[in-house]
Amino acid sequence: MKILYFAKLRQHLGKSSDSIKISDGKKISDVINELKNKNGNYRRAFDQVKNLQYALNCEYVDIEQTVRDRDELAIFPPVTGG
Amino acid sequence: MKILYFAKLRQHLGKSSDSIKISDGKKISDVINELKNKNGNYRRAFDQVKNLQYALNCEYVDIEQTVRDRDELAIFPPVTGG
Amino acid sequence: MKIYFQKESFLVQENFEKFSKVNKASGSIISFVGKVRPITNNKEVIDIEIEIYKKMAIIQMKKIISMLMKKYKILDYLIIHRFGKVKPQENILLVIVASQHRKEGFRFIEDLVDWLKIKITFWKKENYLNDYEWVEQKITDRKIFLTKN
Amino acid sequence: MKIYFQKESFLVQENFEKFSKVNKASGSIISFVGKVRPITNNKEVIDIEIEIYKKMAIIQMKKIISMLMKKYKILDYLIIHRFGKVKPQENILLVIVASQHRKEGFRFIEDLVDWLKIKITFWKKENYLNDYEWVEQKITDRKIFLTKN
């Protein structure tokens, strides 16, 4: 699955995307736990950046949303444009 | 007293102002009755133009407001600028 | 903080540019342009004539603005309202407002235009090909008056 | 009916002029310009960097507009939002809307900017002389989100 990071989260992670293999039916919260178990850098980034929001294929979704391997998941802090 | 007419009322009267002698303490309604008694032209104009509004020295007032001879009275239909 | 009631036509762009330069540091600039519609009541409008009671219009405008300035934090405004003959598609009214935050700018400009339409002494006469009509105040505008008064 | 998300700076006047020409027959034209404030939190802003998730921004913007077009009678709109580096006093956002009547124009433009600030995937980072800060979403904006959602 393609995972995109934006803004403060992207900066803390030091990267703007990941490509990881996911078994269909997992929740976004599971995916994040997997990422956090990768290493301390991921753990710190996800712990430090508050109020994260999630978009699946460009639609806002809840952290409990299930995902498929072909989805595009985006994780980011609340938007601040305009 | 100086009396100013605007818009449809001005057009119906065929004039934009009058200067008439008024004894202090009269109401605007009295002034209008005096005008209407002048001739048929005034009567028709004041009968035909609806929802007239009144301003005394550039402030909106009620038809029962009393006036003084040195006041400037303006009579007009509701405004439609903007 | 300028108000112009004028016969002459004006360009929005020019005024906007000047206003923006002066208000470079403001976070929000909102503008409203009211124009003459070419068709009303299914009739083609040849031109409109706008009558003004200027002395009262100035006094009432200042009152409304001072009331709104107490209500909303505004950095600057510009108001231009034309009178005399105005052709379809020409501008009648321009209001520009600069504020730190957009919400107060929106409230200020919308309130100002609402009040203008029910308090400021302008009257419009629409000339059609073979007749004319004095524009009547809209009930919707009057309702705003009643709720705000 | 155009939306631009672009790196390049833009002039409001030019866009306004073009838009007005196309929408000559509309009774009301309202515009909103959002600019970079030179000072925030008592710190001088050197510049800001705006990050975008473009694919999602376009999809979400179209959704919001189609929802608002059903709600309000609008004749035309233009939206420009910049990303990349933007300097203080420069424009970030321009929204122009043409409508027959002003009230629907005001509602449309205000709702659109509200939604934009809580739904459209842009993020701002403010750079100061010796440090920087990611801008946080305003609680007031989030409240609008909660009441409208």
Side-chain angles (χ1 to χ4, degrees):
Chain A
M1 184 172 62
K2 182 102 186 251
I3 309 179
L4 306 174
Y5 311 113
F6 291 97
K8 202 179 195 170
L9 181 67
R10 172 192 56 70
Q11 196 189 21
H12 278 235
L13 287 171
K15 52 159 79 177
S16 58
S17 68
D18 267 317
S19 232
I20 58 169
K21 193 79 199 147
I22 284 285
S23 41
D24 288 2
K26 285 211 169 171
K27 294 176 177 178
I28 293 173
S29 52
D30 299 327
V31 176
I32 289 173
N33 280 330
E34 258 180 53
L35 290 168
K36 281 168 88 171
N37 287 333
K38 268 183 148 180
N39 62 47
N41 189 33
Y42 277 92
R43 180 174 304 278
R44 273 189 301 277
F46 277 98
D47 284 348
Q48 278 169 15
V49 185
K50 300 296 173 204
N51 302 315
L52 285 174
Q53 302 195 331
Y54 314 94
L56 206 60
N57 307 317
C58 297
E59 294 294 339
Y60 282 95
V61 291
D62 194 77
I63 194 171
E64 296 307 311
Q65 173 72 40
T66 55
V67 298
R68 295 157 307 176
D69 193 55
R70 64 176 181 276
D71 286 336
E72 179 175 290
L73 172 65
I75 311 178
F76 47 76
V79 305
T80 55
Chain B
M1 184 172 62
K2 183 100 185 252
I3 310 180
L4 305 174
Y5 311 114
F6 290 97
K8 201 178 196 172
L9 181 66
R10 172 192 56 70
Q11 196 190 21
H12 278 235
L13 287 170
K15 51 159 78 176
S16 58
S17 69
D18 268 316
S19 232
I20 59 169
K21 193 77 199 151
I22 285 284
S23 40
D24 287 5
K26 285 210 170 175
K27 294 175 176 176
I28 293 173
S29 53
D30 299 327
V31 176
I32 288 173
N33 279 329
E34 258 180 54
L35 290 169
K36 281 168 87 172
N37 287 331
K38 266 183 152 183
N39 61 48
N41 189 34
Y42 277 92
R43 180 174 305 277
R44 273 190 302 277
F46 277 98
D47 285 347
Q48 280 170 12
V49 185
K50 301 297 175 203
N51 303 315
L52 286 174
Q53 301 196 330
Y54 314 94
L56 207 60
N57 307 317
C58 296
E59 293 295 339
Y60 282 94
V61 292
D62 195 75
I63 195 172
E64 295 308 310
Q65 173 72 40
T66 56
V67 299
R68 295 156 307 175
D69 193 54
R70 64 175 181 279
D71 286 336
E72 180 175 288
L73 172 65
I75 312 178
F76 46 76
V79 305
T80 55
Chain C
M1 314 243 182
K2 281 178 183 152
I3 306 169
Y4 300 97
F5 297 149
Q6 65 185 48
K7 255 196 167 132
E8 299 71 31
S9 67
F10 61 88
L11 285 174
V12 176
Q13 301 92 266
E14 269 177 25
N15 286 286
F16 194 96
E17 198 174 350
K18 234 185 286 172
F19 187 89
S20 297
K21 268 190 191 141
V22 177
N23 292 288
K24 272 183 188 172
S26 73
S28 156
I29 293 185
I30 305 170
S31 73
F32 169 77
V33 182
K35 299 195 294 173
V36 182
R37 268 163 280 180
I39 309 279
T40 59
N41 307 317
N42 293 317
K43 280 188 258 189
E44 194 189 333
V45 177
I46 304 301
D47 57 35
I48 68 166
E49 287 168 73
I50 306 177
E51 194 169 324
I52 181 175
Y53 177 15
K54 204 170 189 175
K55 188 165 63 166
M56 181 163 169
I58 292 167
I59 289 172
Q60 292 297 321
M61 194 51 128
K62 283 186 180 161
K63 268 179 77 168
I64 287 166
I65 284 175
S66 104
M67 181 259 287
L68 292 178
M69 295 285 276
K70 276 177 211 145
K71 220 167 153 187
Y72 308 116
K73 261 190 227 141
I74 290 303
L75 299 171
D76 195 7
Y77 61 80
L78 168 69
I79 300 162
I80 305 177
H81 197 307
R82 288 181 68 191
F83 57 90
K85 277 212 179 186
V86 185
K87 290 224 158 66
Q89 311 188 348
E90 282 186 10
N91 306 320
I92 300 173
L93 169 66
L94 170 65
V95 185
I96 316 183
V97 57
S99 56
Q100 213 52 271
H101 303 284
R102 75 185 186 285
K103 280 287 162 193
E104 297 188 283
F106 273 120
R107 290 285 74 72
F108 179 91
I109 201 164
E110 204 178 345
D111 277 17
L112 183 68
V113 179
D114 283 351
W115 280 110
L116 196 149
K117 289 190 174 259
I118 50 178
K119 278 271 187 179
I120 308 300
T121 43
F122 288 94
W123 298 268
K124 279 189 201 131
K125 182 168 154 270
E126 289 181 340
N127 296 317
Y128 316 116
L129 203 57
N130 296 310
D131 60 344
Y132 66 85
E133 218 157 280
W134 286 95
V135 176
E136 301 225 348
Q137 199 176 78
K138 280 189 208 154
I139 293 164
T140 48
D141 286 338
R142 220 169 307 154
K143 271 189 192 148
I144 294 162
F145 176 71
L146 290 169
T147 47
K148 287 195 178 175
N149 221 9
Chain D
M1 312 245 182
K2 283 178 181 151
I3 306 168
Y4 301 98
F5 298 149
Q6 64 184 49
K7 253 193 169 138
E8 300 71 31
S9 67
F10 61 87
L11 285 175
V12 177
Q13 299 92 267
E14 268 176 26
N15 286 284
F16 194 96
E17 197 173 352
K18 234 184 287 171
F19 187 88
S20 297
K21 268 190 194 142
V22 177
N23 293 287
K24 271 183 185 171
S26 74
S28 156
I29 293 184
I30 305 170
S31 73
F32 169 77
V33 182
K35 299 194 295 172
V36 183
R37 270 163 279 180
I39 309 279
T40 59
N41 307 317
N42 293 318
K43 281 188 255 189
E44 194 189 333
V45 177
I46 304 301
D47 56 35
I48 68 167
E49 286 169 75
I50 306 176
E51 193 168 324
I52 182 175
Y53 178 13
K54 205 170 188 176
K55 188 165 62 166
M56 179 163 170
I58 292 167
I59 288 172
Q60 292 297 321
M61 193 51 127
K62 284 186 181 163
K63 267 179 78 168
I64 288 167
I65 284 174
S66 104
M67 182 258 288
L68 292 177
M69 295 285 276
K70 275 178 211 144
K71 220 168 153 188
Y72 309 115
K73 261 189 227 139
I74 290 302
L75 299 171
D76 196 6
Y77 61 79
L78 168 71
I79 300 162
I80 305 177
H81 197 307
R82 288 181 67 190
F83 58 90
K85 276 213 181 187
V86 185
K87 289 224 158 66
Q89 310 188 350
E90 281 185 11
N91 306 322
I92 301 173
L93 170 65
L94 169 64
V95 185
I96 316 183
V97 57
S99 56
Q100 213 52 272
H101 302 285
R102 76 185 186 286
K103 281 287 162 193
E104 296 188 283
F106 273 119
R107 290 288 72 73
F108 179 90
I109 201 165
E110 205 178 345
D111 277 16
L112 183 69
V113 179
D114 284 350
W115 280 110
L116 195 150
K117 288 189 175 258
I118 50 180
K119 279 269 185 179
I120 308 299
T121 42
F122 288 94
W123 298 268
K124 281 189 199 129
K125 181 167 155 272
E126 288 181 341
N127 295 317
Y128 317 117
L129 203 57
N130 296 310
D131 59 344
Y132 65 84
E133 217 157 282
W134 285 94
V135 176
E136 301 225 346
Q137 199 176 77
K138 281 189 206 155
I139 293 164
T140 47
D141 286 337
R142 221 169 308 154
K143 272 187 190 151
I144 293 162
F145 176 71
L146 289 170
T147 47
K148 287 194 179 174
N149 222 9

